[in-house]
Structures are given as C-alpha cells and as structure tokens.
C-alpha cells in the first residue's frame, strides 16, 4: 500500500478528484494548507498599503491506495494539477505499513 500526498492549487481540486474517482480510488482527504516553495509568496495592496504574502493558500490531498494503482494515481494527479505555472505543487509517495477500517475491523488492502 502507498500513501500519496499532493500539494496542489485550490482551483484544481475538483479535476484531481474526478480523475481519481475514475481510476477507482475510493477515498481522499483534502485539507486547506498554506506554504511556500519556489513561488516565495507575492505582494498585495490593501487600502493603499503594500504588504507581503509569504504563505500561499494550497490544498493538500492524501490518498491511500494499493501498490498496483500508485503510478496511475500519481500520473493522474500530475495531469489534473498541471497549469505550467510556478506553484503547481508537489506529489509525495510513501509506503503505508498498515490500514484499519474502524467500523468493520478490515485491514490493509481490504480497509482501503
């Protein structure tokens, strides 16, 4: 099993979700996060005063999947989140040692 975490632009969430659903990913967690990377933030003007926005709003999605779907899910996220502009995000793939469905007690692949 793999845990795929991706940081994407907020307006790309629906596209990513639609592609993952089509691939057979049964669930996803999405969180509103803030961060910076090469984008380094930007400046905005509010009531005539200019100020620096260091942390930009992003969406972090997490998907637990079986090993055989990992490459397809990573590629689907990459395609759906791509704009060609700086700040498109990152995808991280980590091994998932164990999963347990609380309601039924199912474990590992069955719990996904």
């Amino acid at each position: 099993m793999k845990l795929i975490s991706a940081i994407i632009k907020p307006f790309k969430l629906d596209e990513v979700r639609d592609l993952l659903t089509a691939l057979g990913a049964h669930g996803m967690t999405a969180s509103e996060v803030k961060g910076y990377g090469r984008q380094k933030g930007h400046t905005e003007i509010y009531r005539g005063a200019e100020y620096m926005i260091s942390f930009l709003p992003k969406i972090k999605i997490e998907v637990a999947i079986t090993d055989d779907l990992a490459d397809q899910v990573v590629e689907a996220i990459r395609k759906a989140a791509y704009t060609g502009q700086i700040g498109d995000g990152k995808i991280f793939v980590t091994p998932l040692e164990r999963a347990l469905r609380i309601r039924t007690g199912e474990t590992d692949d069955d719990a996904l």
Side-chain angles (χ1 to χ4, degrees):
M1 295 178 303
K2 302 285 186 205
L3 178 64
I4 298 179
S5 301
I7 309 296
I8 62 171
K9 291 182 175 183
F11 65 89
K12 288 296 198 169
L13 179 60
D14 288 335
E15 290 177 54
V16 170
R17 185 184 59 114
D18 292 343
L19 275 180
L20 293 183
T21 301
L23 277 177
H26 298 295
M28 174 178 71
T29 301
S31 306
E32 293 180 5
V33 296
K34 291 184 179 191
Y36 74 93
R38 291 185 180 162
Q39 235 176 330
K40 306 254 192 291
H42 65 275
T43 58
E44 287 189 5
I45 297 175
Y46 179 71
R47 294 188 181 196
E50 186 174 310
Y51 62 98
M52 182 70 181
I53 305 291
S54 298
F55 292 93
L56 299 173
K58 301 288 183 176
I59 297 289
K60 179 180 182 181
I61 60 171
E62 295 176 306
V63 183
I65 54 153
T66 58
D67 289 330
D68 58 323
L69 282 179
D71 291 335
Q72 294 174 40
V73 168
V74 167
E75 187 58 23
I77 294 170
R78 189 195 68 77
K79 283 181 180 177
Y82 177 82
T83 67
Q85 303 296 316
I86 192 167
D88 273 352
K90 295 258 185 352
I91 301 172
F92 306 99
V93 181
T94 54
L96 186 58
E97 194 171 309
R98 188 169 181 211
L100 174 86
R101 185 183 309 257
I102 294 172
R103 179 178 56 86
T104 62
E106 294 171 303
T107 59
D108 299 330
D109 286 355
D110 294 332
L112 301 179

